[in-house]
Amino acid sequence: MSATFLGQLITFAATPFLTRLYSPGEFGILGVYVGLLGVVSVVAHLRYEMAIPLPARRGAALQVVGLALACLLAFSALLLVLGLGAGQRILALAGSAVLAPYYWLLPVGLLLTGAYQVGTLWAVRSGAYHAIAVTRLQQGAGTAAAQLGLGLMQCGALGLILGQLLGQSLGLLRLAKLVARDYRRQGARLSARGMRWAATRYRQFALFDSLASLLDVLSSNAPSILFAALIDPALAGYYLLSLRLLSAPITLVGKTISQVYLPAAIAGRRSGALGGQVLALQKILACVSFAPFFAFAILAPRFLEPLFGAAWAGAGDIAALTALWVSWQFIYSPLSVVLIAVEGQRTNLIMQLVCCVLRVASILVGYRFFTPTVAVALFALANILFYLAASCIVADRAGARWLSSLRQLGVEMALAAAIVAPVQLALGAPAPWLWPVVALCAAVWALSVLSGIRRLRNCGAFAAEKTI
């Protein structure tokens, strides 16, 4: 987590310089590229990579690794062949014609990021969190350095895309060495028979989870693509900048916890302790999430323009709306690995289908009948409703009562609103007595976080033995 924090800090520190080297429209093109890469990368392994931590024996897990890499190579080759013949047509159909000059970077990015994902999940299985942390630091520093250097060379959108690609592929060699070392120690060999077994044993990932993940990525990247295609690439740039700022805590805490918690969730399912673990984890995530994100929503319209330049004057309101729903994503993201632990791929598929419909419909309705800002607001509301329902469903699948989950989330949200309210009052009508109230509210929030941490420790959510 420390190395991930430093990587995100470097990215954040570089952003004010990047916004002066690149225009909102160029950031919008990067958003389209990242969106399309996310769509193809999530199905490139047929989701078999998510099964890497599940087998009890390392030899069986290595067969899953081989299967995932074989799917990745085949999909990357297919994407390259399709691009040579009909790349511009495909992008036009996807509403992403602005990306046509950079299509050739999609297969390259897919191969590099897909291999990194396989290596990361093997490191999770092996408990090699130090290796993951080092690669996160390399990615943050590498992406910032590459994009800044290419920006100074006035490479435009190509510089942003190449910088993103080069930075995100850093650390791949370290993880590849880890997989190769364990492969040699195991003494087993990849075989067609072993990979056929893996494909059959974990076929629910290919049948259900791959489609669910595709729907998730499509709906997650719908704003960047639809804003650029229907309204203005600049709006897509505002949205991408907002996510660039707000994704830091999700990457730092959310993804880190989900990677570490997956083995413990598998153990908790076997021992019957999963329900209590999920409620305890949900409480601390809600404590950490709501108050800071609500405060960011209040402050964003005031500081984004001075920080990033006059060209980004419209980004403050978009960032404020984005922060409201990202606070709920922050809670759900680590909890979602419970569906992997309980092999709830069908549930996940239904949830992601509903999410995709809600997200796309909210943007289209806002665009058709209202203003671009209202479209973003409707999108935020759709996300809040989805993540609220999804968190309750995960708690129910873990063995806890969904009503307990709903009550807990409601209490934490009300507490966060009460804590942040004095900040809004102090900014709107400055008064000396308000700032001590703000300090007192911050102390109450800190005590609530400490209480959640103690509860999490007592339930043993991260005390699983390294048996896999």
Side-chain angles (χ1 to χ4, degrees), residues 227-246:
F227 289 155
L230 298 177
I231 304 175
D232 186 356
L235 180 60
Y238 296 154
Y239 179 76
L240 181 63
L241 177 65
S242 303
L243 286 184
R244 190 183 184 98
L245 297 174
L246 295 167

Side-chain angles (χ1 to χ4, degrees), residues 396-430:
D396 182 73
R397 287 301 307 267
R401 295 178 57 198
W402 69 267
L403 192 58
S404 299
S405 172
L406 180 63
R407 185 185 304 113
Q408 180 171 262
L409 289 171
V411 169
E412 295 300 332
M413 184 177 64
L415 177 61
I419 290 172
V420 174
V423 177
Q424 176 66 46
L425 293 174
L427 292 173

Side-chain angles (χ1 to χ4, degrees), residues 44 65-75 195:
V65 170
L67 176 62
L69 290 175
C71 294
L72 174 64
L73 288 171
F75 201 89
M195 287 190 283

Side-chain angles (χ1 to χ4, degrees), residues 260-269 274 277 460-464:
V260 178
Y261 180 56
L262 178 57
I266 296 171
R269 180 195 180 189
L274 185 57
Q277 289 180 2
F462 295 97

Side-chain angles (χ1 to χ4, degrees), residues 212-224 226-227 230 239 243 250 322 325-326 328-330 332-333 351-367 374-388 390:
S213 300
L214 177 61
L215 290 171
D216 180 30
V217 172
L218 281 172
S219 59
S220 297
N221 293 288
S224 297
L226 292 178
F227 289 155
L230 298 177
Y239 179 76
L243 286 184
I250 294 178
T322 303
W325 70 261
V326 170
W328 290 88
Q329 184 188 26
F330 181 93
Y332 174 71
S333 179
M351 289 167 54
Q352 296 306 330
L353 178 60
V354 172
C355 178
C356 186
V357 171
L358 281 174
R359 285 174 164 175
V360 174
S362 64
I363 294 174
L364 293 179
V365 169
Y367 164 73
V374 173
V376 178
L378 289 176
F379 176 77
L381 178 61
N383 277 280
I384 291 171
L385 294 175
F386 168 74
Y387 286 121
L388 170 61

